[in-house]
Coordinates of all heavy atoms in Angstrom, one line a residue:
N12 N 75.2 88.3 105.3 CA 75.2 89.3 106.5 C 74.9 88.8 107.7 O 75.0 89.4 108.8 CB 74.2 90.5 106.2 CG 74.7 91.4 105.0 OD1 75.9 91.5 104.8 ND2 73.8 91.8 104.2
S13 N 74.4 87.5 107.9 CA 74.1 87.0 109.1 C 75.1 85.7 109.5 O 74.9 85.1 110.4 CB 72.7 86.3 109.0 OG 72.6 85.2 108.0
I14 N 76.1 85.7 108.7 CA 77.2 84.6 109.0 C 78.5 85.3 109.4 O 79.0 86.2 108.8 CB 77.4 83.8 107.8 CG1 76.2 83.0 107.3 CG2 78.6 82.8 107.9 CD1 76.3 82.3 106.0
S15 N 79.0 84.8 110.6 CA 80.2 85.3 111.1 C 81.4 84.3 111.0 O 81.2 83.1 111.2 CB 80.0 85.7 112.6 OG 79.1 86.5 112.8
L16 N 82.6 84.8 110.6 CA 83.8 84.0 110.5 C 84.8 84.9 111.1 O 84.9 86.1 111.0 CB 84.1 83.7 109.1 CG 83.5 82.6 108.4 CD1 84.1 82.4 106.9 CD2 83.6 81.3 109.1
P17 N 85.7 84.2 112.0 CA 86.7 84.9 112.7 C 87.6 85.7 111.6 O 88.0 85.2 110.6 CB 87.6 83.8 113.2 CG 86.7 82.6 113.6 CD 85.7 82.8 112.3
G18 N 87.9 87.0 111.8 CA 88.7 87.7 111.0 C 87.9 88.6 110.0 O 88.6 89.3 109.3
F19 N 86.7 88.3 109.9 CA 85.9 89.0 108.9 C 84.7 89.7 109.6 O 84.0 89.1 110.5 CB 85.3 88.0 107.9 CG 86.4 87.4 107.0 CD1 87.0 86.2 107.4 CD2 86.9 88.1 105.9 CE1 88.0 85.7 106.6 CE2 87.9 87.5 105.0 CZ 88.4 86.3 105.4
R20 N 84.4 90.9 109.1 CA 83.2 91.6 109.6 C 82.0 90.9 108.9 O 82.1 90.2 107.8 CB 83.1 93.0 109.2 CG 84.0 93.9 110.1 CD 84.0 95.3 109.6 NE 84.6 95.5 108.2 CZ 84.1 96.2 107.3 NH1 82.9 96.9 107.5 NH2 84.7 96.4 106.2
K21 N 80.8 91.0 109.6 CA 79.6 90.3 109.0 C 79.4 90.8 107.5 O 79.3 92.0 107.4 CB 78.4 90.6 109.8 CG 78.3 89.6 111.1 CD 76.9 89.8 111.7 CE 76.7 88.8 112.9 NZ 75.5 88.9 113.5
G22 N 79.0 89.9 106.6 CA 78.8 90.2 105.3 C 80.0 90.3 104.5 O 80.0 90.5 103.2
K23 N 81.2 90.2 105.0 CA 82.5 90.4 104.2 C 83.2 88.9 103.9 O 84.2 88.9 103.2 CB 83.5 91.3 105.0 CG 82.9 92.7 105.1 CD 82.6 93.2 103.7 CE 82.2 94.7 103.9 NZ 81.8 95.3 102.4
A24 N 82.8 87.9 104.7 CA 83.4 86.7 104.5 C 83.2 86.0 103.1 O 82.0 85.9 102.6 CB 82.9 85.6 105.5
P25 N 84.3 85.7 102.4 CA 84.0 85.1 101.1 C 83.2 83.8 101.2 O 83.4 83.0 102.1 CB 85.5 84.8 100.6 CG 86.4 85.6 101.5 CD 85.6 85.7 102.8
R26 N 82.6 83.5 100.1 CA 81.7 82.3 100.0 C 82.5 81.0 100.1 O 82.1 80.1 100.8 CB 80.9 82.4 98.6 CG 80.0 81.1 98.5 CD 79.2 81.2 97.1 NE 79.1 79.8 96.5 CZ 78.8 79.6 95.3 NH1 78.8 80.6 94.4 NH2 78.7 78.3 94.8
K27 N 83.6 81.0 99.4 CA 84.4 79.7 99.6 C 84.8 79.4 101.0 O 84.8 78.2 101.5 CB 85.7 79.8 98.7 CG 85.5 79.9 97.2 CD 86.7 79.8 96.4 CE 86.3 79.6 94.9 NZ 87.6 79.6 94.1
L28 N 85.1 80.4 101.8 CA 85.6 80.2 103.1 C 84.3 79.8 103.9 O 84.5 78.9 104.9 CB 86.3 81.5 103.8 CG 87.6 81.9 103.3 CD1 88.1 83.1 104.0 CD2 88.6 80.7 103.6
I29 N 83.2 80.3 103.8 CA 82.0 79.9 104.5 C 81.7 78.4 104.1 O 81.4 77.6 105.0 CB 80.8 80.9 104.1 CG1 81.1 82.2 104.4 CG2 79.5 80.3 104.7 CD1 80.0 83.2 104.0
E30 N 81.8 78.1 102.9 CA 81.4 76.8 102.5 C 82.5 75.8 103.0 O 82.1 74.7 103.5 CB 81.4 76.5 101.0 CG 80.1 77.4 100.4 CD 80.2 77.2 98.8 OE1 81.1 76.5 98.2 OE2 79.3 77.6 98.2
S31 N 83.7 76.3 103.2 CA 84.8 75.4 103.7 C 84.6 75.2 105.3 O 84.8 74.1 105.7 CB 86.2 76.1 103.5 OG 87.2 75.4 104.3
E32 N 84.1 76.3 105.9 CA 83.8 76.2 107.4 C 82.6 75.5 107.7 O 82.6 74.5 108.6 CB 83.7 77.5 107.9 CG 83.4 77.6 109.4 CD 84.6 77.3 110.2 OE1 85.7 77.3 109.7 OE2 84.4 77.0 111.5
F33 N 81.5 75.7 107.0 CA 80.1 75.0 107.3 C 79.7 74.0 106.3 O 78.7 73.3 106.6 CB 79.1 76.1 107.4 CG 79.4 77.2 108.4 CD1 79.8 78.5 108.1 CD2 79.2 76.9 109.7 CE1 80.1 79.4 109.0 CE2 79.4 77.9 110.7 CZ 79.9 79.1 110.3
G34 N 80.4 73.9 105.1 CA 80.0 73.0 104.2 C 79.0 73.7 103.1 O 78.3 74.6 103.6
P35 N 79.0 73.3 101.9 CA 78.2 74.0 101.0 C 76.7 73.7 101.3 O 75.8 74.6 100.7 CB 78.6 73.2 99.6 CG 79.1 72.0 100.0 CD 79.8 72.2 101.2
E36 N 76.3 72.8 102.0 CA 75.0 72.5 102.3 C 74.4 73.7 103.1 O 73.1 73.8 103.1 CB 74.9 71.3 103.4 CG 75.3 70.0 102.8 CD 76.8 69.9 102.8 OE1 77.5 70.6 103.4 OE2 77.3 68.8 102.3
V37 N 75.2 74.7 103.6 CA 74.5 75.8 104.2 C 73.8 76.6 103.4 O 72.9 77.4 103.8 CB 75.7 76.6 105.0 CG1 76.6 77.3 103.9 CG2 75.1 77.6 105.9
F38 N 74.0 76.6 102.0 CA 73.3 77.3 101.1 C 72.2 76.6 100.3 O 71.6 77.1 99.5 CB 74.3 78.0 100.2 CG 75.2 79.0 100.8 CD1 76.6 78.9 100.5 CD2 74.7 80.0 101.5 CE1 77.4 79.8 101.1 CE2 75.6 80.9 102.2 CZ 77.0 80.9 102.0
Y39 N 72.2 75.3 100.5 CA 71.4 74.4 99.7 C 69.8 74.8 99.7 O 69.3 74.9 98.6 CB 71.6 72.9 100.0 CG 72.8 72.3 99.4 CD1 73.0 70.9 99.8 CD2 73.6 72.9 98.6 CE1 74.2 70.4 99.1 CE2 74.7 72.4 98.1 CZ 75.0 71.1 98.5 OH 76.2 70.5 97.9
D40 N 69.3 74.9 100.9 CA 67.9 75.3 100.9 C 67.5 76.4 100.2 O 66.6 76.4 99.3 CB 67.5 75.4 102.5 CG 67.3 74.1 103.1 OD1 67.4 73.0 102.5 OD2 67.2 74.2 104.5
D41 N 68.2 77.6 100.3 CA 67.8 78.8 99.6 C 68.2 78.6 98.1 O 67.4 79.2 97.2 CB 68.6 80.0 100.2 CG 68.0 80.5 101.5 OD1 66.8 80.3 101.6 OD2 68.8 80.8 102.4
A42 N 69.3 78.0 97.7 CA 69.6 77.8 96.3 C 68.4 77.0 95.6 O 68.1 77.2 94.4 CB 71.0 77.1 96.2
V43 N 68.0 75.9 96.3 CA 67.1 75.0 95.8 C 65.7 75.8 95.6 O 65.1 75.6 94.5 CB 66.8 73.8 96.6 CG1 65.4 73.1 96.3 CG2 67.8 72.8 96.5
N44 N 65.3 76.7 96.6 CA 64.1 77.4 96.5 C 64.2 78.4 95.3 O 63.2 78.7 94.6 CB 63.8 78.1 97.8 CG 63.2 77.2 98.9 OD1 62.7 76.2 98.5 ND2 63.6 77.5 100.1
Y45 N 65.4 78.9 95.2 CA 65.6 80.0 94.1 C 65.4 79.3 92.7 O 64.6 79.9 91.9 CB 67.1 80.5 94.3 CG 67.4 81.4 93.0 CD1 67.0 82.7 93.0 CD2 68.1 80.9 91.9 CE1 67.4 83.5 91.9 CE2 68.5 81.7 90.8 CZ 68.2 83.0 90.8 OH 68.6 83.9 89.7
I46 N 66.0 78.1 92.6 CA 65.9 77.6 91.3 C 64.4 77.0 91.1 O 63.9 77.2 89.9 CB 66.8 76.2 91.2 CG1 68.2 76.6 91.4 CG2 66.6 75.4 89.9 CD1 69.1 75.5 91.6
L47 N 63.7 76.5 92.2 CA 62.4 76.1 92.0 C 61.6 77.2 91.5 O 60.7 77.2 90.6 CB 61.8 75.5 93.3 CG 60.6 74.7 93.3 CD1 60.6 73.6 92.5 CD2 60.1 74.5 94.7
N48 N 61.6 78.5 92.2 CA 60.9 79.7 91.8 C 61.1 80.0 90.3 O 60.2 80.6 89.7 CB 61.2 80.8 92.5 CG 60.7 80.7 94.1 OD1 59.8 80.0 94.3 ND2 61.4 81.3 95.0
Q49 N 62.3 79.7 89.7 CA 62.7 80.1 88.3 C 62.0 79.1 87.4 O 61.7 79.5 86.4 CB 64.2 80.2 88.2 CG 64.9 81.2 89.1 CD 64.6 82.7 88.6 OE1 64.6 82.9 87.4 NE2 64.4 83.4 89.6
E50 N 62.1 77.8 87.8 CA 61.8 76.7 86.9 C 60.4 76.0 87.0 O 60.1 75.3 86.1 CB 63.0 75.9 86.9 CG 64.3 76.3 86.7 CD 64.4 77.0 85.2 OE1 63.8 76.6 84.3 OE2 65.2 77.9 85.1
Y51 N 59.8 76.2 88.1 CA 58.7 75.3 88.4 C 57.5 75.6 87.4 O 57.0 74.6 86.8 CB 58.1 75.7 89.9 CG 56.7 74.9 90.1 CD1 56.8 73.5 90.3 CD2 55.6 75.7 90.3 CE1 55.5 73.0 90.6 CE2 54.4 75.0 90.5 CZ 54.3 73.6 90.6 OH 53.1 73.1 91.0
E52 N 57.1 76.9 87.2 CA 56.1 77.2 86.2 C 56.4 76.8 84.8 O 55.5 76.2 84.0 CB 55.8 78.6 86.3 CG 55.1 79.2 87.7 CD 53.7 78.7 87.9 OE1 53.1 78.2 87.0 OE2 53.4 78.6 89.1
K53 N 57.6 76.9 84.5 CA 58.0 76.5 83.1 C 57.9 75.1 83.0 O 57.5 74.5 81.8 CB 59.5 76.8 83.0 CG 59.9 78.4 82.8 CD 61.3 78.7 82.7 CE 61.6 80.0 82.9 NZ 63.2 80.2 82.7

């Protein structure tokens, strides 16, 4: 909802297009934190 791509309203841009435009690295920090929260205690 905070990412804008030409031709798409906020929140409607497909993930593949976002990753193509900005690189998959754009999601790495939050993805890593999500996994860490799931697996660290275990």
Side-chain angles (χ1 to χ4, degrees):
N12 290 331
S13 61
I14 298 175
S15 297
L16 280 182
F19 294 93
R20 286 179 292 136
K21 278 189 177 182
K23 298 299 182 181
R26 179 181 144 195
K27 286 185 178 180
L28 287 182
I29 295 174
E30 291 181 356
S31 176
E32 179 71 19
F33 299 104
E36 296 83 2
V37 71
F38 296 129
Y39 278 177
D40 283 348
D41 285 324
V43 163
N44 285 333
Y45 173 82
I46 298 169
L47 191 66
N48 288 335
Q49 298 291 314
E50 304 299 334
Y51 173 72
E52 292 294 336
K53 298 177 189 175

